[in-house]
Amino acid sequence: MAKVLLFIALCVLPALVSATRILNNQLVVEGYVYCDTCRAGFETPKTRRLADAMVKLICSDRKTGGVVFEKEGYTDKTGKYQIRVSEDHLDQICDAVLVKSPQLGCATMSPGRERARVILTNFNGISSTTRYANGMGFMVDKAEAGCAEMMKMYREDEEDV
């Protein structure tokens, strides 16, 4: 019986403790959500930030791909979201993902802008506890007035290069 308790104390308990790595300083995933009013596929001067958009943070096991962590958040009036994370996700792949737009007219997820990869560990040399995610966007069904003219500006810039 003493050997079993010693085995548990030396092998099982340390494994359980390291499996759930609670962080002393919570990490914060921060990003923003926008509405691509010109259907450009990127942010333009006509882009609007979206308040009350739903975002989910999803972490998956690197080997199996199974989801091991999920947490939802919403954007504030400036289109910014902050999702607090208490656990370390060193060996996991984590993404901020668009879930739902608050505007029916701007509810289609912009291809390539529907998720943003984030690293959620304190064991990577980054001293800040804030992890910044790339902006994610929805787009309107039909480009707004003035977009065609504005997009010409981008094409002219390309010709100058």
Side-chain angles (χ1 to χ4, degrees):
M1 181 65 168
K3 288 182 181 181
V4 171
L5 290 175
L6 182 61
F7 173 76
I8 290 172
L10 294 176
C11 298
V12 176
L13 289 177
L16 290 174
V17 170
S18 66
T20 306
R21 294 175 237 161
I22 302 297
L23 299 172
N24 291 335
N25 297 322
Q26 283 189 343
L27 295 174
V28 178
V29 176
E30 183 177 307
Y32 59 89
V33 177
Y34 62 87
C35 177
D36 179 359
T37 58
C38 290
R39 298 183 56 86
F42 53 89
E43 294 178 78
T44 68
K46 290 189 169 281
T47 298
R48 291 189 316 260
R49 299 279 175 98
L50 288 176
D52 300 318
M54 183 190 290
V55 177
K56 186 183 284 188
L57 183 61
I58 302 173
C59 295
S60 303
D61 183 89
R62 190 176 296 277
K63 293 178 184 171
T64 67
V67 174
V68 294
F69 178 81
E70 290 183 317
K71 190 169 183 183
E72 290 180 353
Y74 290 87
T75 56
D76 63 15
K77 64 183 179 182
T78 67
K80 181 173 82 171
Y81 64 89
Q82 291 185 324
I83 300 175
R84 298 191 182 290
V85 180
S86 300
E87 306 86 15
D88 191 278
H89 296 277
L90 175 66
D91 296 322
Q92 298 165 8
I93 298 170
C94 300
D95 291 307
V97 181
L98 289 177
V99 176
K100 186 177 179 187
S101 172
Q103 294 180 3
L104 292 177
C106 190
T108 303
M109 293 180 193
S110 188
R113 305 283 184 200
E114 71 278 357
R115 64 179 48 238
R117 180 72 34 98
V118 290
I119 307 298
L120 291 179
T121 183
N122 278 326
F123 302 106
N124 59 1
I126 299 173
S127 60
S128 171
T129 57
T130 303
R131 301 296 186 260
Y132 296 98
N134 289 335
M136 299 184 293
F138 293 96
M139 61 183 171
V140 294
D141 295 330
K142 184 178 177 191
E144 292 182 355
C147 287
E149 192 65 33
M150 186 206 54
M151 293 305 288
K152 286 180 186 177
M153 174 183 72
Y154 289 103
R155 287 187 207 102
E156 290 173 5
D157 287 347
E158 288 177 0
E159 292 172 6
D160 292 341
V161 175

